[in-house]
Amino acid sequence: MDQIRVKICGLPDKAHVEAAVTAGAAYLGFVFFAKSPRHLEIADAARLALDVPPGVAKVALTVNATDAELDAITGAVPLDMLQLHGTESPDRVAEVRARYGLPVMKAVGVAGPEDLAALDAYGRVADQLLVDAKPPKGAALPGGNGLAFDWRLVAKKYWPCPWMLAGGLTPLNVAEAIRLTGARQVDVSSGVESAPGVKDAELIRAFIAAARGAVPA
């Protein structure tokens, strides 16, 4: 059976990049969104990305970024994937994918059954889907809020492209989330932090161990 693939998002420094890589993360997420406590300057992200070994995907998380912003990020940071975490339309996802020649992961917030149709639409234009908890009304951040959703909504669902489960995952609940949904990939940010934007190496290790030891139903 293939191992569960884990993305650690919002990494702030070399020590936590190393902790995630050593623990077996398949993806590392770098956040480019000024309102987030996990925001990185482009030069800092470029330095971190250069230390990532081959085989671990480097992902840039952006929110409604303009072409100019994406040009600056992709021109300086060696990346393997772009993550669009805003209100980008399917057309915009396709446009970004064509312009930059990088795989695109589109985050889609889920709170109820009415949100599932968007996953089909985005799944036809993105390379991957990030199925996340929909942020509450008025939230400053589109993700990383530590909120979960009813995982039964996406249990045993299949979309036109691979998907990753996110939203409120922690070392204590990730195995159950995988069991309930059948997810083969999971993403965590706030669930491995001791404070907003402050990653904890022990929590990173515990999360990856719990995820990789889980058995999807």
Side-chain angles (χ1 to χ4, degrees), residues 123-162:
R124 287 190 282 272
V125 292
D127 295 279
Q128 294 207 40
L129 294 168
L130 182 76
V131 184
D132 200 358
K134 183 180 280 189
K137 278 189 169 32
L141 302 178
N145 293 297
L147 298 175
F149 63 96
D150 184 349
W151 295 320
R152 292 171 297 184
L153 289 168
V154 297
K156 309 299 181 297
K157 291 287 195 298
Y158 299 94
W159 291 286
C161 66

Side-chain angles (χ1 to χ4, degrees), residues 28-212:
L28 305 181
F30 302 116
V31 174
F32 300 92
F33 183 54
K35 293 182 180 178
S36 171
R38 305 164 189 100
H39 171 68
L40 286 176
E41 297 299 330
I42 291 175
D44 294 330
R47 281 191 290 272
L48 291 180
L50 287 170
D51 287 331
V52 178
V56 180
K58 302 173 294 294
V59 184
L61 185 159
T62 65
V63 179
N64 299 324
T66 64
D67 284 351
E69 290 167 332
L70 290 173
D71 287 349
I73 293 167
T74 58
V77 185
L79 294 169
D80 300 296
M81 181 174 286
L82 294 171
Q83 178 178 331
L84 307 185
H85 214 108
T87 57
E88 300 92 354
S89 68
D91 284 347
R92 176 59 176 160
V93 172
E95 183 181 273
V96 168
R97 191 170 177 265
R99 179 180 173 93
Y100 296 99
L102 287 169
V104 172
M105 177 186 294
K106 178 66 181 91
V108 179
V110 172
E114 67 280 2
D115 299 313
L116 299 181
L119 289 163
D120 285 315
Y122 284 109
R124 287 190 282 272
V125 292
D127 295 279
Q128 294 207 40
L129 294 168
L130 182 76
V131 184
D132 200 358
K134 183 180 280 189
K137 278 189 169 32
L141 302 178
N145 293 297
L147 298 175
F149 63 96
D150 184 349
W151 295 320
R152 292 171 297 184
L153 289 168
V154 297
K156 309 299 181 297
K157 291 287 195 298
Y158 299 94
W159 291 286
C161 66
W163 65 284
M164 183 178 291
L165 182 67
L169 298 178
T170 71
L172 297 178
N173 69 13
V174 65
E176 178 70 357
I178 290 167
R179 187 186 71 78
L180 284 174
T181 63
R184 306 298 310 172
Q185 305 190 106
V186 291
D187 171 281
V188 67
S189 186
S190 61
V192 291
E193 292 179 345
S194 56
V198 182
K199 288 292 186 284
D200 183 299
E202 282 303 318
L203 290 176
I204 289 172
R205 284 189 279 270
F207 184 92
I208 293 175
R212 293 175 77 172

